Coordinates of all heavy atoms in Angstrom, one line a residue:
R1 N 117.1 -13.9 3.5 CA 117.3 -15.0 4.6 C 118.1 -16.1 4.0 O 117.8 -16.6 2.9 CB 115.9 -15.5 5.0 CG 115.1 -14.6 5.8 CD 113.7 -15.1 6.2 NE 113.8 -16.5 6.6 CZ 112.8 -17.2 7.1 NH1 111.6 -16.6 7.2 NH2 112.9 -18.4 7.5
D2 N 119.2 -16.5 4.7 CA 120.1 -17.5 4.1 C 119.5 -18.9 4.2 O 120.1 -19.8 3.7 CB 121.5 -17.4 4.8 CG 121.4 -17.5 6.3 OD1 120.4 -17.9 6.8 OD2 122.4 -17.2 7.0
D3 N 118.3 -19.0 4.9 CA 117.7 -20.4 4.9 C 116.7 -20.5 3.9 O 116.0 -21.6 3.8 CB 117.1 -20.6 6.3 CG 116.0 -19.6 6.7 OD1 116.0 -18.5 6.1 OD2 115.1 -19.9 7.5
V4 N 116.5 -19.5 3.0 CA 115.5 -19.6 1.9 C 116.3 -19.3 0.6 O 116.5 -18.1 0.2 CB 114.4 -18.7 2.1 CG1 113.4 -18.8 0.9 CG2 113.7 -18.9 3.4
P5 N 116.8 -20.3 -0.1 CA 117.6 -20.0 -1.3 C 116.8 -19.5 -2.5 O 115.5 -19.7 -2.5 CB 118.2 -21.4 -1.7 CG 117.3 -22.4 -1.1 CD 116.7 -21.7 0.2
V6 N 117.4 -18.8 -3.4 CA 116.8 -18.2 -4.6 C 117.5 -18.6 -5.8 O 118.8 -18.7 -5.8 CB 116.7 -16.6 -4.5 CG1 116.2 -16.0 -5.8 CG2 115.8 -16.2 -3.3
D7 N 116.8 -19.0 -6.8 CA 117.4 -19.4 -8.1 C 117.5 -18.2 -9.0 O 116.5 -17.6 -9.4 CB 116.6 -20.5 -8.8 CG 116.5 -21.8 -7.9 OD1 117.6 -22.1 -7.4 OD2 115.5 -22.4 -7.9
F8 N 118.7 -17.7 -9.3 CA 118.9 -16.6 -10.2 C 119.3 -17.0 -11.6 O 120.0 -18.0 -11.8 CB 120.0 -15.7 -9.6 CG 119.7 -15.0 -8.3 CD1 120.0 -15.6 -7.1 CD2 119.1 -13.7 -8.2 CE1 119.8 -15.0 -5.9 CE2 118.8 -13.1 -7.1 CZ 119.1 -13.8 -5.9
A9 N 118.9 -16.2 -12.6 CA 119.2 -16.5 -13.9 C 119.4 -15.2 -14.7 O 118.6 -14.3 -14.5 CB 118.2 -17.4 -14.6
I10 N 120.4 -15.1 -15.6 CA 120.5 -14.0 -16.5 C 120.6 -14.5 -17.9 O 121.4 -15.4 -18.2 CB 121.9 -13.3 -16.2 CG1 121.9 -12.7 -14.7 CG2 122.1 -12.1 -17.1 CD1 123.2 -12.1 -14.3
T11 N 119.7 -14.0 -18.7 CA 119.6 -14.4 -20.1 C 119.6 -13.2 -21.0 O 119.2 -12.1 -20.6 CB 118.3 -15.3 -20.4 OG1 117.2 -14.5 -20.2 CG2 118.3 -16.5 -19.5
V12 N 120.1 -13.4 -22.2 CA 120.1 -12.4 -23.3 C 119.4 -12.9 -24.5 O 119.6 -14.0 -24.9 CB 121.6 -12.0 -23.6 CG1 121.6 -11.0 -24.8 CG2 122.2 -11.3 -22.4
R13 N 118.5 -12.1 -25.0 CA 117.8 -12.5 -26.2 C 118.0 -11.4 -27.3 O 117.6 -10.3 -27.1 CB 116.3 -12.7 -25.9 CG 115.5 -13.2 -27.1 CD 114.0 -13.5 -26.8 NE 113.4 -12.2 -26.5 CZ 112.8 -12.0 -25.3 NH1 112.9 -12.8 -24.4 NH2 112.2 -10.8 -25.1
R14 N 118.5 -11.9 -28.5 CA 118.6 -11.0 -29.6 C 117.2 -10.7 -30.1 O 116.3 -11.5 -30.0 CB 119.5 -11.6 -30.7 CG 121.0 -11.7 -30.4 CD 121.7 -12.2 -31.6 NE 123.2 -12.0 -31.5 CZ 124.0 -13.0 -31.1 NH1 123.5 -14.2 -30.8 NH2 125.3 -12.8 -31.0
L15 N 117.0 -9.5 -30.6 CA 115.7 -9.1 -31.1 C 115.3 -10.1 -32.2 O 116.0 -10.3 -33.2 CB 115.7 -7.7 -31.6 CG 116.0 -6.6 -30.6 CD1 115.9 -5.2 -31.2 CD2 115.1 -6.7 -29.4
G16 N 114.2 -10.8 -32.0 CA 113.7 -11.8 -33.0 C 114.4 -13.1 -32.9 O 114.2 -14.0 -33.7
G17 N 115.3 -13.3 -31.9 CA 116.1 -14.5 -31.8 C 115.8 -15.3 -30.5 O 114.9 -14.9 -29.7
D18 N 116.5 -16.4 -30.3 CA 116.3 -17.2 -29.1 C 117.1 -16.6 -27.9 O 118.1 -15.9 -28.1 CB 116.8 -18.6 -29.4 CG 116.0 -19.3 -30.5 OD1 114.8 -19.0 -30.6 OD2 116.6 -20.2 -31.2
A19 N 116.7 -17.0 -26.8 CA 117.3 -16.5 -25.5 C 118.6 -17.4 -25.3 O 118.6 -18.6 -25.5 CB 116.4 -16.6 -24.4
V20 N 119.6 -16.7 -24.8 CA 120.9 -17.4 -24.4 C 121.1 -17.2 -22.9 O 121.1 -16.1 -22.4 CB 122.1 -16.8 -25.2 CG1 123.4 -17.6 -24.7 CG2 121.9 -17.0 -26.7
T21 N 121.1 -18.3 -22.2 CA 121.3 -18.2 -20.7 C 122.8 -18.1 -20.4 O 123.6 -18.9 -20.8 CB 120.7 -19.4 -20.0 OG1 119.3 -19.5 -20.3 CG2 120.9 -19.3 -18.5
L22 N 123.1 -17.0 -19.7 CA 124.5 -16.8 -19.4 C 124.9 -17.0 -18.0 O 126.1 -17.2 -17.6 CB 124.9 -15.3 -19.7 CG 124.6 -14.9 -21.2 CD1 125.0 -13.4 -21.4 CD2 125.5 -15.7 -22.1
L23 N 123.9 -17.1 -17.1 CA 124.2 -17.5 -15.7 C 123.0 -18.1 -15.1 O 121.8 -17.6 -15.3 CB 124.5 -16.2 -14.9 CG 124.9 -16.4 -13.4 CD1 126.0 -15.5 -13.0 CD2 123.6 -16.1 -12.5
E24 N 123.2 -19.2 -14.4 CA 122.1 -19.8 -13.6 C 122.8 -20.2 -12.2 O 123.8 -20.9 -12.2 CB 121.6 -21.1 -14.2 CG 120.7 -20.9 -15.4 CD 120.1 -22.1 -16.0 OE1 120.9 -23.0 -16.4 OE2 118.9 -22.3 -16.0
E25 N 122.2 -19.8 -11.2 CA 122.8 -20.1 -9.9 C 121.8 -20.0 -8.7 O 120.9 -19.1 -8.7 CB 123.9 -19.0 -9.6 CG 124.6 -19.3 -8.2 CD 125.8 -18.4 -8.1 OE1 126.3 -17.8 -9.1 OE2 126.3 -18.2 -6.9
T26 N 121.9 -21.0 -7.9 CA 121.1 -21.0 -6.6 C 121.9 -20.5 -5.5 O 123.0 -20.9 -5.3 CB 120.6 -22.5 -6.3 OG1 119.8 -23.0 -7.4 CG2 119.8 -22.5 -5.0
Y27 N 121.4 -19.4 -4.9 CA 122.2 -18.7 -3.9 C 121.4 -18.6 -2.6 O 120.2 -18.3 -2.6 CB 122.6 -17.4 -4.4 CG 123.6 -16.7 -3.4 CD1 124.9 -17.1 -3.3 CD2 123.2 -15.6 -2.7 CE1 125.8 -16.5 -2.4 CE2 124.1 -15.0 -1.8 CZ 125.4 -15.5 -1.7 OH 126.2 -14.9 -0.8
S28 N 122.2 -18.8 -1.4 CA 121.5 -18.6 -0.1 C 122.5 -18.1 0.9 O 122.4 -18.3 2.1 CB 121.0 -20.0 0.4 OG 122.0 -20.9 0.5
G29 N 123.5 -17.3 0.5 CA 124.5 -16.8 1.4 C 124.1 -15.7 2.2 O 123.1 -15.0 1.9
S30 N 124.8 -15.4 3.3 CA 124.4 -14.2 4.2 C 124.9 -12.9 3.6 O 124.3 -11.8 3.9 CB 125.1 -14.4 5.6 OG 126.5 -14.6 5.5
D31 N 125.9 -12.9 2.7 CA 126.3 -11.7 2.0 C 125.9 -11.9 0.6 O 125.4 -12.9 0.2 CB 127.9 -11.5 2.1 CG 128.3 -11.3 3.6 OD1 127.6 -10.6 4.3 OD2 129.3 -11.9 3.9
W32 N 126.2 -10.9 -0.3 CA 125.9 -11.0 -1.7 C 127.1 -11.7 -2.4 O 128.2 -11.6 -2.0 CB 125.5 -9.7 -2.3 CG 126.5 -8.6 -2.3 CD1 127.7 -8.6 -3.1 CD2 126.5 -7.4 -1.5 NE1 128.4 -7.4 -2.8 CE2 127.7 -6.7 -1.9 CE3 125.7 -6.9 -0.6 CZ2 128.0 -5.5 -1.3 CZ3 126.0 -5.7 0.0 CH2 127.1 -5.0 -0.4

């Protein structure tokens, strides 16, 4: 539903290491 936004995030964590956030985006469009 384009009237209910979703916060998306993509992170990568090296084994035994800290997480690195590579994408953060709030999206509510009718297409992808």
